[in-house]
Amino acid sequence: MSHTDAFLVLPNAPSIPGLTFHLFQGETDIPVLKAVRDAVRVVDGNIWLPGPDTVSNASCDPAQDCLLVEVNGIGIGYSWLDWWEEVDGTRLYLLPGWIVPEWRRKGIGRALLHWQEQRLRQIAQTHPATGPLIFGANADESQPASRALLLSEGYSVAFTYVEMVCQLSDTPISLAPLPTGLVLRPVETEHLSAIYAANDEAFQDTRTGHIRESYASFFQDLHWPKVDTSLWFIAWDGDEIAGLVINLIDDAGGHTPWVAVRRAWRRRGLGKALMTRTVRRFQEQGVKQAEISTVAENPGRSVYLYESVGYRVVKRQPRYRKPMFVDNQ
């Protein structure tokens, strides 16, 4: 594709002198992406801004799916696409995009969004229809213009990710008792498949965007085998795992990427028993701050659980969605 062929005319773009849209052309466009990110983060904070130079395993083809916006040759925005299948069968088509602050609320973002939706409808027609087809978009609390655009285009909040932080004191937290019949055991290599299976099962009934990970990816994300499993708490009922909490420590503090209680052992206090032990272990290791993320609408009331052991919500990240209507389907 020549550079001339990469320029697109968006039918509903605002009439602004010098406004152009072109598809990503490779290395020459990377400085434009970086400049847009820098300008966006000045106002919106350190938000997630993926693109062809930062995502190595993207679903999309940047040469067809990453659209850059310029005014008189100066980059003022870009869009990105991604898609995946969630555990409940939903096929989610994500359409993130960003405009630098001084060019917002002029209709450029809306034109980008419409192009993204149309492009994703084309892509969706090449995929097997295994479940609901849904557009997804993100707009954090620091992005009122993006929220207003999404709401005006028929999107609504499907669920809200929350980030929580616990400032750890030197006074040891009181440990909640384990439910009768459950025991904690040190992690052994032969336990890994059971740990993965228990965690996977616990999230199978979620309706809040969970994506199933492979066994290899799950442990790779945990930096296995270079990981301290003494920070993990695995509760066993005989030869079955009832629940688990997996923790990590790095220079930033304590992190808890996974908390899972299997259905048969829920509402018996196991989550609190494991979380109080997590906080105690962090205290013993000299950690001053710990973080955890969850979904506000979690039916297991995870926000309440984490608040009960000292965590507080510091950031909310609403996830917006609307149904996709694919042509000829």
Side-chain angles (χ1 to χ4, degrees):
M1 181 185 293
S2 70
H3 188 67
T4 301
D5 293 336
F7 279 85
L8 301 181
V9 176
L10 273 59
N12 59 343
S15 180
I16 297 174
L19 176 66
T20 59
F21 301 86
H22 74 270
L23 293 168
F24 179 71
Q25 291 291 285
E27 294 292 327
T28 58
D29 280 333
I30 290 177
V32 177
L33 301 179
K34 291 181 176 178
V36 169
R37 289 191 188 107
D38 289 344
V40 167
R41 284 175 171 148
V42 167
V43 172
D44 295 347
N46 189 30
I47 61 171
W48 181 58
L49 292 150
D53 55 330
T54 63
V55 180
S56 60
N57 59 345
S59 304
C60 71
D61 175 1
Q64 299 186 67
D65 303 321
C66 178
L67 193 62
L68 283 72
V69 190
E70 296 182 351
V71 173
N72 296 321
I74 305 298
I76 66 162
Y78 77 95
S79 66
W80 185 243
L81 301 177
D82 202 357
W83 53 88
W84 56 79
E85 185 171 330
E86 298 173 349
V87 294
D88 65 350
T90 295
R91 190 174 290 276
L92 195 284
Y93 292 86
L94 187 70
L95 27 66
W98 305 273
I99 303 295
V100 300
E102 59 268 32
W103 285 97
R104 294 174 182 174
R105 298 186 184 275
K106 299 181 186 297
I108 302 171
R110 192 178 302 275
L112 266 185
L113 180 65
H114 289 175
W115 178 83
Q116 289 174 293
E117 289 182 342
Q118 183 57 33
R119 176 65 186 141
L120 285 171
R121 289 189 183 98
Q122 295 171 350
I123 291 169
Q125 288 180 311
T126 69
H127 296 160
T130 56
L133 306 180
I134 304 293
F135 288 132
N138 303 335
D140 293 352
E141 293 179 316
S142 62
Q143 301 171 282
S146 296
R147 292 205 312 272
L149 170 61
L150 294 172
L151 292 172
S152 72
E153 289 289 330
Y155 289 77
S156 60
V157 176
F159 53 88
T160 304
Y161 284 120
V162 293
E163 296 179 9
M164 305 182 71
V165 168
C166 181
Q167 303 296 337
L168 298 168
S169 70
D170 294 329
T171 304
I173 189 172
S174 298
L175 299 181
L178 283 166
T180 302
L182 302 190
V183 297
L184 300 178
R185 296 175 187 160
V187 176
E188 305 289 347
T189 302
E190 56 266 28
H191 297 163
L192 297 183
S193 59
I195 290 171
Y196 168 77
N199 189 77
D200 183 62
E201 179 191 302
F203 284 91
Q204 285 305 302
D205 57 356
T206 183
R207 298 293 183 269
T208 52
H210 181 68
I211 305 169
R212 186 176 190 181
E213 284 192 276
S214 68
Y215 178 92
S217 176
F218 179 79
F219 286 104
Q220 182 178 7
D221 289 347
L222 296 174
H223 311 295
W224 185 270
K226 298 179 180 180
V227 61
D228 182 1
T229 59
S230 72
L231 302 173
W232 298 15
F233 295 96
I234 314 298
W236 294 80
D237 187 350
D239 60 358
E240 289 193 80
I241 293 178
L244 58 91
V245 174
I246 293 177
N247 301 301
L248 308 168
I249 294 176
D250 60 20
D251 292 342
H255 310 276
T256 304
W258 293 107
V259 178
V261 176
R262 295 173 65 195
R263 179 179 292 276
W265 290 271
R266 292 175 186 171
R267 304 194 183 281
R268 295 170 54 186
L270 177 55
K272 185 157 187 177
L274 296 175
M275 284 305 300
T276 54
R277 284 160 177 77
T278 286
V279 173
R280 174 74 70 87
R281 184 61 52 84
F282 284 154
Q283 291 175 316
E284 293 169 348
Q285 295 291 320
V287 172
K288 298 303 180 184
Q289 178 174 292
E291 63 82 25
I292 195 169
S293 297
T294 188
V295 174
E297 298 83 358
N298 186 315
R301 302 180 68 199
S302 54
V303 172
Y304 174 80
L305 167 62
Y306 303 147
E307 286 178 337
S308 74
V309 298
Y311 289 79
R312 296 293 177 264
V313 174
V314 295
K315 187 175 183 180
R316 299 179 184 274
Q317 300 172 298
R319 295 300 183 247
Y320 294 81
R321 297 189 171 190
K322 81 172 183 181
M324 175 194 294
F325 300 98
V326 180
D327 296 339
N328 301 320
Q329 180 167 332

